[in-house]
Amino acid sequence: MKKIITFGEILLRLSKPGSRRLFQGSTFGADYGGSEANVAVSLAQLGDDVEFVTRIPDNSIGEAALMHLRSLGLNVGHAVRGGKRLGTYYFEPSAAMRSSRVVYDRDDSSFNTLEHGDIDWEPVFAGAGLFHCSGITCATSRAALDTTMDAVRRADASGIELTCDINYRGNLWRYPGADARRSLDELMQYSSFIFGDQNEWYVASGLEPIPFTALDESYRFDRDAYRRYFDHLHALFPRCRRMLIAHRNQLSFNHHVNAGVLWAEGRIYTSRIYDIQPIVDQMGVGDAWVAAFIHARRRWPDDDQRCLDFSVAASALKNTVPGDQNLVTEAEIIAGLC
């Protein structure tokens, strides 16, 4: 089966141990994150042939990040080197009624200072069947946006399938002339599968979302309302064949209710409700969802319900795994469906 390509920034994650606040103590646990890297890692754990393309500093810190990705089964042969530093974020875990906190330090990172033309896409796309990217990459800089869209157009012209995660992060769209709505719309016009939560779909489309008010597994979806909603979305993004809304209701900081709704070529599918407590780590849940759906579409291409169920089960399991990346197998996810 042809390889999968993802493109984005890998970040160094520095987390406080236990329930400590960012200003407490002198130690941090170090790990790696970044949406597209997380997707690639999940796909590799599920057995897919996947390559992650990025830009890292030409020093030991950049090489350490690539070693981490290689150790998890990723091809990083087309990563480029340059710039000053690896992007970083600091994570303070939630506890009781206190929410988690994230502080990003990405300015002047190697990826943030990427120049359009740094990536030679022709050898990257040789033998590729799918290219996945997200709104986060488009938000980091004008050059990253231009590089992403250049890759998208090249992939589309070569018959490579495009998938995207809306991944709207309002605080990232800061470069001169940044226009999230317009840029996301262009990216989504090429995509065969689009993933997002309620707010992200609202940002991308302007359509008011359908409230998700589940408190437990007894909740029932209004399929007719979703059918009307997705009919409007499909009119906006006519090339898209599958659209997924990820739902998460945070009943407390360590108790979440997760579910998903899939529109697949005119049909509505809904998942079971996952009542998850305690939450071990909620970072990367959406990335786990995306990766599992991409994998499932290749594994069971004629069974959309199974693809949805598999992807929601994978995202539920991610809540139990520390760190950004969903280090679970296909067999473990299938077991979680029972």
Side-chain angles (χ1 to χ4, degrees):
M1 190 170 287
K2 293 185 175 180
K3 69 179 177 179
I4 299 168
I5 307 295
T6 74
F7 171 60
E9 182 172 22
I10 182 168
L11 299 168
L12 178 64
R13 166 177 163 168
L14 298 174
S15 306
K16 277 297 178 181
S19 299
R20 289 177 180 264
R21 307 212 65 191
L22 287 176
F23 53 78
Q24 285 185 290
S26 58
T27 61
F28 286 88
D31 210 329
Y32 295 96
S35 177
E36 299 81 13
N38 296 341
V39 170
V41 167
S42 288
L43 286 165
Q45 297 300 294
L46 294 172
D48 293 295
D49 179 7
V50 57
E51 177 174 358
F52 177 63
V53 181
T54 190
R55 185 175 189 249
I56 47 97
D58 190 11
N59 57 32
S60 58
I61 301 300
E63 290 306 315
L66 294 188
M67 287 176 65
H68 166 76
L69 296 174
R70 290 191 194 101
S71 74
L72 294 172
L74 291 188
N75 176 355
V76 290
H78 291 100
V80 298
R81 292 161 176 78
K84 299 178 180 178
R85 54 185 289 268
L86 200 68
T88 304
Y89 83 91
Y90 299 84
F91 179 67
E92 177 184 297
S94 60
M97 72 289 296
R98 173 163 56 83
S99 63
S100 61
R101 183 183 182 191
V102 173
V103 177
Y104 286 103
D105 182 14
R106 307 171 76 154
D107 290 348
D108 297 320
S109 72
S110 291
F111 194 87
N112 190 269
T113 55
L114 176 81
E115 294 291 336
H116 186 208
D118 281 349
I119 309 292
D120 183 0
W121 289 108
E122 185 174 353
V124 171
F125 286 144
L130 185 144
F131 178 51
H132 174 76
C133 52
S134 89
I136 287 180
T137 301
C138 298
T140 54
S141 69
R142 170 60 64 180
L145 169 65
D146 291 342
T147 301
T148 301
M149 293 313 303
D150 177 42
V152 164
R153 295 184 192 103
R154 289 171 182 266
D156 183 64
S158 299
I160 296 170
E161 183 180 9
L162 278 299
T163 63
C164 82
D165 183 349
I166 300 170
N167 246 343
Y168 174 71
R169 302 292 184 269
N171 62 340
L172 292 181
W173 292 87
R174 296 181 299 163
Y175 54 84
D179 187 334
R181 177 76 177 274
R182 180 177 179 179
S183 299
L184 290 170
D185 180 88
E186 183 177 6
L187 175 63
M188 293 162 72
Q189 293 298 337
Y190 286 91
S191 300
S192 67
F193 163 60
I194 303 173
F195 172 91
D197 64 23
Q198 292 165 288
N199 179 62
E200 290 166 340
W201 278 107
Y202 173 71
V203 170
S205 69
L207 296 177
E208 288 292 337
I210 299 170
F212 179 68
T213 58
L215 300 178
D216 54 38
E217 297 180 12
S218 66
Y219 182 81
R220 294 293 178 266
F221 292 100
D222 184 342
R223 287 173 171 262
D224 289 336
Y226 279 101
R227 187 171 289 104
R228 292 190 296 271
Y229 178 75
F230 279 114
D231 283 345
H232 287 300
L233 287 177
H234 189 238
L236 295 175
F237 309 108
R239 290 184 61 180
C240 188
R241 298 194 297 275
R242 282 166 179 81
M243 295 179 274
L244 179 64
I245 293 180
H247 285 305
R248 177 166 59 186
N249 194 6
Q250 300 188 26
L251 305 182
S252 71
F253 295 119
N254 68 344
H255 183 191
H256 296 179
V257 177
N258 284 21
V261 180
L262 170 67
W263 177 94
E265 299 183 299
R267 299 189 66 180
I268 298 293
Y269 301 88
T270 59
S271 77
R272 62 174 278 193
I273 307 289
Y274 282 87
D275 193 324
I276 309 165
Q277 63 173 328
I279 301 293
V280 173
D281 194 330
Q282 70 185 52
M283 299 298 286
V285 168
D287 306 323
W289 214 319
V290 171
F293 191 84
I294 291 172
H295 173 80
R297 280 283 304 147
R298 292 179 150 216
R299 188 81 162 78
W300 306 288
D302 300 319
D303 193 341
D304 284 301
Q305 184 66 60
R306 186 170 190 179
C307 292
L308 174 63
D309 292 342
F310 183 86
S311 61
V312 178
S315 73
L317 276 174
K318 172 59 196 74
N319 287 281
T320 73
V321 180
D324 278 38
Q325 294 159 353
N326 200 23
L327 305 179
V328 300
T329 65
E330 181 185 280
E332 288 173 316
I333 296 170
I334 291 173
L337 294 171
C338 301

